[in-house]
């Protein structure tokens, strides 16, 4: 997962076509005419069965409290301030009477280092996740606990909520002075989402690994997966499952969890921590701000992949941290240990049951191999040279022992820029098999970049689009992603794998938006984006059938808008702002010798005129925009003087400002004062148009000059040209691709119409002999529609169309994704 920051909120709700690039939104009854021409005799790219998959990272409580079916939170009393500053070993627990968490020689084992010591007559109650423990009337729930009591004791275990008992209490006799596991089963007498589990002890006792699992897990697996969430993954029929990260892989210490390392609690995700009996698996701090128990570990990921018929695709640390940490670990012995761990992982997955690590897999219940074919080294490393030096050592070791394993590299956290370019060149020079690209961009970017892979080198490394999403869960966002996916399929000879990210979000524990599947402790629901992904995944086809389409008529108008000033986690002063038209006419001038009445404050922070300067004084405020002028301005020069006073970053000068969510700004000294860039905001979603490394000096005054001419912008810093760009790429709302299903012979015509006008389309099948009836699947909704727990605004509708011929017409609804499956005779 990328740590790229989105400047107006990660949950920006939609796309808005840039003024002048495509027609303004039309009334729903309006129609735009298009034509699609298909060439069935031509041979397009082959599409692999693994084209689309899913990426599972433990973010937004996706594992504990999510896909992992355990109902108790902090079951092993291992929570710590290393996970989250608000945590204690008793987080989610309430002790009645006397009890304390202990870490001493009497622990359950050296990797499960804390336990609860209860005095006689005391009890402890767990609150679960969200509103509590969810149980369904008539369903069975399996309780277990590791306990010891010197004199023996009876544990009374009960389930209740504020309305009373949820199941008949169970009594468990602790008969041993040493640690042993004890079990009981509950049958829920009514349904509740607010349950609590209480364990009371008649005598002094030690407790650890207190657990409650629904019997009804996915495929009935013990230590299993929450059924509804796993079923939603399975319903996608993904070709692969990428796991476990993301930022979990390339952040934190690369040491192990042992006395020798000082029991590191902020480690990269290391697979050996996550296999074997659950009570012996190491705990760890999750990068996203909570604890991960590793009850859901590598074995469970492999099992899930196998169960749903998907290719497992694990990611291992490359010993270069990313996601804002950006350090290369220089320790040859540690590097060799991680390389050996990776070789051991392949043996765990594929080795015979009598091999060292195959034996571990077999003891866990799976004697047969998992048939691992791909492995990825690293994730979004921002130090491409350091990363690649280590990657080559991993690849050489893997290829020497397992030549059939495909080793995947990556290109950093962004879709372009110096890191991306350097990484790609290194990958090309070394003839890497496949490169993982990640990007989270505005909906407009996805409409503008359908052709991204048209020009990629067909003889170079293949592309794994491992993480991507537009910035929201509205249907508009899903539409723009669908439009982009037609370009992925058209270029299936280059783009071999693609997965939306992230996969899951627990609505009460969100670190990242948008997400594909949302849930709480009792329900789950598909986002609009999920419905698009499912439609594409379940109708891929085996080969692209070349086709062409006309575009949306458009008239390129100049960039228009007012001007603005802003800061981000910085205090800064502005002076001598001038806006001059291309004809020399003064549009605005302000030396702040009086007040700031020409400026409208639309962001955060605190602005005031001080000593003839306009100053933003809140060093913590982000996006503090003030704007002035007329949104209809075009072809002008904006000049200003800017001085950073204090804080983490530099300053921002905006132009083409239409409103709070639609503008361009030159972000000088952004990203913790490491680079400058021009970003375009479209309805809050951001894309970077041009960027360069560089920083801003505190106390120094900079002269800024932005020249806007038509759709070209040239930027000057202290009189020197810093850069320029031309924003003239249309955000084309009408996209299509045609594929063929070899098994059925169907032509699958896939059309995305991401605008508020219907698309009346003449379709020419190029002489193909076809049946007159097509099966139609349509996703259509209002552009701002979202799915929720209680409302499903975006869902597929099945129908038939009887007007198919060699040449026919079809009107695709406004704001829709439509798949026509046409049988060839």
């Amino acid at each position: 997962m990328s740590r790229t920051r989105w400047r107006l909120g990660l949950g920006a709700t939609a796309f808005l076509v840039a003024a002048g690039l495509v027609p303004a939104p039309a009334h729903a009854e309006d129609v735009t005419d298009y034509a699609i021409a298909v060439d069935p005799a031509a041979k397009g790219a082959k599409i692999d069965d693994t084209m689309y998959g899913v990426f599972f990272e433990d973010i937004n409580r996706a594992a504990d409290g999510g896909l992992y079916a355990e109902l108790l939170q902090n079951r092993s009393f291992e929570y710590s301030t290393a996970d989250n500053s608000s945590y204690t070993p008793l987080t989610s627990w309430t002790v009645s009477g006397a009890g304390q968490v202990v870490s001493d020689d009497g622990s359950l084992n050296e990797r499960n280092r804390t336990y609860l010591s209860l005095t006689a007559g005391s009890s402890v109650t767990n609150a679960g996740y969200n509103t509590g423990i969810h149980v369904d009337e008539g369903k069975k729930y399996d309780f277990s606990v590791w306990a010891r009591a010197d004199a023996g004791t009876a544990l009374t275990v009960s389930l209740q909520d504020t309305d009373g008992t949820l199941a008949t209490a169970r009594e468990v006799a602790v008969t041993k002075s040493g640690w042993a596991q004890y079990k009981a089963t509950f049958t829920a007498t009514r349904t509740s989402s607010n349950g609590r589990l209480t364990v009371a002890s008649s005598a002094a006792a030690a407790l650890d690994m207190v657990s409650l699992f629904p019997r009804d897990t996915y495929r009935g697996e013990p230590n299993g997966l929450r059924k509804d969430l796993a079923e939603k993954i399975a319903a996608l029929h993904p070709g692969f499952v990428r796991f476990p990260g993301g930022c979990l892989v390339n952040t934190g210490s690369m040491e192990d969890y042992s006395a020798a390392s000082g029991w590191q609690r902020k480690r990269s995700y290391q697979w050996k921590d996550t296999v074997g009996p659950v009570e012996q698996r190491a705990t760890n701090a999750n990068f996203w701000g909570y604890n991960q128990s590793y009850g859901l570990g590598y074995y469970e990921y492999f099992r899930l992949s196998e169960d749903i018929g998907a290719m497992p695709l694990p990611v291992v640390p490359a010993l270069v941290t990313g996601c804002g940490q950006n350090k290369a670990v220089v320790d040859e012995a540690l590097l060799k240990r991680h390389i050996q761990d990776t070789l051991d992982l392949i043996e765990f997955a594929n080795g015979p049951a009598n091999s060292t690590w195959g034996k571990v897999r077999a003891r866990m219940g799976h004697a047969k191999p998992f048939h691992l074919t791909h492995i990825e080294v690293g994730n979004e490393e921002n130090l491409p040279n350091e990363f690649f030096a280590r990657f080559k050592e991993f690849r050489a070791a893997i290829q020497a022992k397992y030549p059939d394993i495909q080793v995947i590299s990556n290109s950093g956290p962004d879709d372009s820029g110096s890191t991306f370019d350097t990484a790609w060149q290194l990958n090309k020079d070394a003839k890497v098999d496949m490169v993982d690209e990640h990007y989270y961009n505005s909906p407009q970017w996805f409409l503008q970049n359908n052709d991204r892979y048209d020009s990629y080198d067909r003889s170079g490394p293949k592309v794994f689009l491992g993480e991507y999403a537009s910035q929201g869960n509205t249907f508009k966002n899903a539409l723009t992603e669908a439009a982009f996916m037609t370009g992925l399929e058209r270029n299936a000879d280059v783009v071999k794998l693609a997965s939306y990210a992230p996969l899951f979000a627990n609505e009460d524990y969100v670190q990242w938006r948008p997400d594909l599947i949302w849930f709480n402790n009792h329900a789950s629901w598909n986002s609009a984006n999920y419905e698009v992904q499912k439609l594409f995944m379940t109708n891929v086809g085996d080969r692209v059938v070349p086709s062409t389409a006309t575009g949306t008529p458009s008239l390129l108008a100049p960039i228009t808008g007012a001007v603005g000033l802003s800061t981000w986690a910085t205090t800064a002063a502005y002076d001598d702002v001038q806006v001059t038209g291309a004809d020399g006419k003064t549009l605005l001038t302000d030396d702040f010798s009086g007040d700031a009445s020409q400026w409208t404050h639309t962001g955060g922070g605190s602005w005031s005129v001080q000593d003839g300067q306009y100053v933003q004084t809140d060093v913590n405020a982000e996006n503090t925009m003030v704007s002035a002028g007329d949104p209809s301005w075009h072809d002008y020069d904006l000049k200003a003087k800017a001085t950073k006073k204090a804080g983490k970053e530099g300053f921002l000068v905006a132009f083409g400002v239409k409103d709070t969510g639609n503008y361009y700004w030159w972000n000088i000294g952004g990203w913790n004062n490491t680079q400058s860039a021009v970003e375009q905001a479209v309805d809050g979603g951001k894309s970077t148009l041009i960027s360069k490394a560089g920083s801003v000096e505190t106390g120094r005054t900079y002269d800024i000059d932005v020249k806007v001419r038509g759709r070209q912008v040239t930027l000057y810093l202290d009189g020197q040209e810093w850069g320029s760009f031309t924003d003239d790429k249309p955000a084309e709302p009408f996209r299509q691709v045609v594929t063929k299903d070899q098994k059925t012979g169907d032509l699958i015509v896939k059309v995305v119409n991401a605008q508020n006008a219907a698309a009346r389309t003449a379709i020419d099948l190029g002489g193909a002999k076809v049946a007159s009836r097509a099966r139609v699947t349509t996703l259509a909704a209002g552009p701002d529609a979202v799915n929720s727990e209680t409302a499903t605004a975006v869902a597929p509708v099945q129908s038939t169309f009887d007007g198919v011929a060699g040449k026919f017409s079809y009107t695709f609804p406004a704001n829709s994704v439509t798949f026509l499956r046409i049988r060839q005779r």
Side-chain angles (χ1 to χ4, degrees):
M1 178 63 60
S2 171
R3 289 285 285 172
T4 301
R5 182 180 57 219
W6 296 330
R7 301 259 188 208
L8 266 186
L10 295 171
T13 55
F15 92 95
L16 182 74
V17 273
L21 292 181
V22 299
H27 295 294
E29 64 270 17
D30 288 351
V31 176
T32 305
D33 288 322
Y34 297 90
I36 296 174
V38 183
D39 186 358
K43 201 170 185 180
K46 181 181 181 297
I47 306 175
D48 295 340
D49 292 340
T50 52
M51 174 74 181
Y52 295 120
V54 295
F55 165 45
F56 182 94
E57 178 174 11
D58 187 0
I59 184 174
N60 308 314
R61 286 283 189 188
D64 295 329
L67 183 62
Y68 186 49
E70 172 65 73
L71 296 173
L72 303 188
Q73 185 174 175
N74 189 19
R75 66 183 178 186
S76 195
F77 310 101
E78 295 285 345
Y79 277 25
S80 123
T81 53
D83 309 321
N84 187 295
S85 60
S86 67
Y87 281 1
T88 76
L90 283 173
T91 293
S92 198
W93 293 96
T94 302
V95 174
S96 177
Q100 62 178 339
V101 174
V102 180
S103 179
D104 60 18
D105 292 341
S107 63
L108 182 58
N109 57 67
E110 68 170 5
R111 292 161 73 81
N112 198 328
R113 297 173 51 74
T114 62
Y115 61 93
L116 179 67
S117 176
L118 276 182
T119 60
S122 298
S123 66
V124 63
T125 298
N126 191 274
Y129 297 93
N130 301 92
T131 56
I133 297 166
H134 177 78
V135 295
D136 288 307
E137 182 179 354
K139 293 289 185 70
K140 292 184 181 298
Y141 296 86
D142 292 324
F143 167 83
S144 64
V145 62
W146 284 81
R148 60 178 171 80
D150 291 338
T153 187
L155 300 179
T156 302
V157 188
S158 58
L159 267 172
Q160 66 283 321
D161 63 11
T162 54
D163 292 329
T165 299
L166 291 171
T168 302
R170 293 286 184 260
E171 189 167 289
V172 176
V174 178
T175 58
K176 297 180 180 179
S177 59
W179 288 106
Q181 189 180 39
Y182 302 90
K183 299 180 179 181
T185 298
F186 292 96
T187 301
T189 54
R190 56 187 176 85
T191 297
S192 174
S193 295
N194 309 302
R196 302 289 187 268
L197 181 132
T198 298
V199 180
S201 182
S202 61
L207 310 178
D208 206 346
M209 290 294 290
V210 189
S211 174
L212 185 69
F213 259 87
R215 179 78 58 84
D216 190 19
T217 58
Y218 182 63
R219 297 174 70 93
E221 295 284 351
N223 193 55
L225 306 182
R226 180 170 149 177
K227 190 174 183 179
D228 62 325
L229 298 184
E231 285 177 345
K232 288 187 183 303
I233 303 175
L236 292 168
H237 297 286
F240 64 88
V241 179
R242 178 178 183 254
F243 61 88
C247 288
L248 302 189
V249 165
N250 68 334
T251 55
S253 169
M254 299 294 163
E255 300 283 354
D256 63 2
Y257 189 60
S258 68
S261 69
W263 303 108
Q264 295 279 349
R265 276 296 294 267
K266 291 189 175 183
R267 309 182 307 284
S268 62
Y269 197 111
Q270 299 175 42
W271 78 271
K272 288 180 179 177
D273 288 341
T274 77
V275 297
V278 290
E279 68 274 8
Q280 295 177 15
R281 299 184 191 182
T283 189
N284 200 10
N286 182 294
F287 174 80
W288 299 105
Y290 50 91
N291 177 272
Q292 49 194 355
S293 71
Y294 288 145
L296 174 56
Y298 255 78
Y299 176 78
E300 289 75 27
Y301 288 128
F302 279 125
R303 284 298 303 264
L304 172 64
S305 301
E306 181 180 67
D307 287 344
I308 64 177
M311 176 181 80
L313 205 166
V315 187
V316 298
L319 274 71
V320 178
T321 58
C323 301
Q325 297 183 359
N326 301 339
K327 292 182 180 179
V329 177
V330 182
D331 184 330
E332 193 62 30
L334 190 58
L335 176 61
K336 290 186 182 303
R337 192 267 285 176
H338 275 266
I339 291 172
Q340 184 59 50
D341 280 356
T342 302
L343 297 175
D344 293 344
L345 171 60
I346 298 170
E347 183 176 281
F348 176 78
N350 293 353
N354 61 357
S355 64
T356 301
W357 288 99
K359 192 178 299 180
V360 174
R361 181 194 69 238
R363 282 200 300 264
M364 294 183 74
H366 201 282
K368 293 181 179 179
F370 282 118
H371 306 296
L372 178 68
T373 59
H374 292 63
I375 197 163
E376 183 173 356
V377 177
N379 169 76
E380 293 185 9
E381 282 70 31
N382 233 331
L383 302 172
N385 292 295
E386 292 85 342
F387 160 73
F388 206 74
R390 290 155 179 78
F391 171 83
K392 288 192 295 184
E393 293 197 51
F394 276 87
R395 184 176 68 159
I398 294 168
Q399 289 182 337
K401 188 168 185 179
Y402 300 105
D404 294 333
I405 296 290
Q406 189 167 104
V407 187
I408 301 172
S409 179
N410 77 83
S411 58
D414 301 305
D415 62 88
S416 60
S418 59
T419 296
F420 179 87
D421 293 340
T422 300
W424 255 106
Q425 192 59 55
L426 291 167
N427 284 307
K428 286 180 179 178
D429 292 346
K431 294 181 169 49
V432 168
D433 290 334
M434 189 177 292
V435 178
D436 189 359
E437 293 188 354
H438 295 177
Y439 37 82
Y440 298 88
N441 287 324
S442 70
Q444 175 167 297
W445 185 94
F446 283 93
L447 291 184
Q448 290 177 314
N449 286 277
N450 176 275
D451 63 349
R452 175 178 176 87
Y453 297 106
D454 290 0
S455 58
Y456 269 48
D457 181 1
R458 264 51 196 168
S459 63
K462 303 305 181 185
V463 172
F464 171 22
L465 181 49
E467 298 184 30
Y468 73 97
S470 72
Q471 294 157 357
N473 276 144
T474 71
F475 190 46
K476 296 180 229 186
N477 297 99
L479 284 169
T480 65
E481 291 156 5
F484 188 73
M485 292 170 77
T486 65
L488 299 183
E489 290 194 3
R490 187 176 64 252
N491 290 286
D493 57 327
V494 169
V495 183
K496 307 305 287 184
L497 307 168
S499 50
Y500 179 102
L503 180 61
F504 282 121
N506 185 320
E507 66 174 354
D508 292 333
Y509 309 92
V510 180
Q511 293 87 43
W512 188 279
R513 300 170 187 267
D515 303 286
L516 204 63
I517 300 168
W518 289 80
F519 65 93
N520 51 37
N521 66 352
H522 62 275
S524 57
W525 55 98
N526 305 331
S527 67
N529 318 66
Y530 175 98
E531 295 298 347
V532 161
Q533 292 291 324
K534 183 179 180 182
L535 186 57
F536 275 83
M537 286 194 201
T538 54
N539 293 276
V540 182
D542 302 285
R543 188 173 290 279
V544 175
V545 181
S547 60
T548 58
T550 55
T552 305
S554 62
L555 179 65
L556 292 178
I559 292 173
T560 60
V563 299
L565 311 171
S566 190
T567 62
W568 195 286
T570 307
T571 62
Y574 288 94
D575 203 356
D576 296 334
V577 179
Q578 290 184 315
V579 182
T580 308
D583 58 2
K585 180 181 177 181
T586 298
L587 302 177
L588 179 145
T589 181
D590 203 334
D591 63 3
F592 304 106
S593 58
D595 57 25
S597 58
Q598 297 186 83
W599 299 85
T600 301
H601 186 190
T602 56
S606 178
W607 289 86
S608 61
V609 174
Q610 299 179 12
D611 300 324
Q613 295 180 313
Y614 201 19
V615 185
Q616 197 291 114
T617 56
D618 186 343
V619 74
N620 296 311
E622 299 178 344
N623 186 30
T624 65
M625 179 89 82
V626 291
S627 60
D630 190 328
S632 67
W633 282 351
H634 60 87
D635 296 288
Y636 57 75
D637 293 358
L638 163 62
K639 294 185 177 182
K641 294 182 183 296
T643 308
K644 173 182 175 177
K645 298 288 191 181
K648 297 178 181 178
E649 307 210 349
F651 32 76
L652 304 104
V653 177
F655 53 96
V657 178
K658 297 186 178 304
D659 53 44
T660 56
N662 297 276
Y663 54 86
Y664 302 79
W665 67 18
W666 186 7
N667 182 354
I668 305 172
W671 294 270
N672 289 321
N673 204 15
T674 61
Q675 71 181 65
S676 299
V678 176
E679 297 176 281
Q680 181 185 12
V682 180
D683 202 24
K686 281 217 178 44
S687 299
T688 299
L689 303 182
I690 180 175
S691 67
K692 294 183 180 181
S695 59
V696 167
E697 297 176 29
T698 301
R700 175 182 164 187
T701 298
Y702 292 81
D703 287 315
I704 296 165
D705 185 0
V706 180
K707 294 186 183 301
V708 181
R709 297 292 185 272
R711 300 204 67 80
Q712 181 172 342
V713 178
T714 309
L715 308 109
Y716 298 86
L717 193 62
D718 289 337
Q720 301 295 313
E721 183 175 332
W722 176 86
S724 65
F725 67 92
T726 303
D727 182 22
D728 61 355
K729 200 169 188 179
E732 174 59 59
F734 183 83
R735 297 291 187 183
Q736 59 81 39
V737 71
V738 181
T739 65
K740 181 179 180 180
D741 185 328
Q742 301 283 24
K743 184 176 181 180
T744 63
D746 289 354
L747 292 175
I748 312 172
V749 179
K750 310 173 186 183
V751 176
V752 180
N753 182 28
Q755 62 183 330
N756 289 340
R760 184 169 51 206
T761 307
I763 301 174
D764 184 347
L765 296 179
K769 305 296 184 183
V770 293
S772 61
R773 173 173 290 185
R775 287 182 290 134
V776 184
T777 305
T778 306
L779 290 170
D784 295 322
V786 294
N787 289 345
S788 67
E789 180 183 353
T790 57
T792 305
V794 180
V797 174
Q798 310 287 340
S799 62
T800 57
F801 174 68
D802 293 326
V804 178
K807 295 181 179 180
F808 67 101
S809 180
Y810 192 94
T811 299
F812 297 95
N815 300 304
S816 67
V817 183
T818 306
F819 280 26
L820 302 173
R821 292 193 71 112
I822 301 170
R823 181 64 55 88
Q824 293 191 90
R825 295 187 185 279

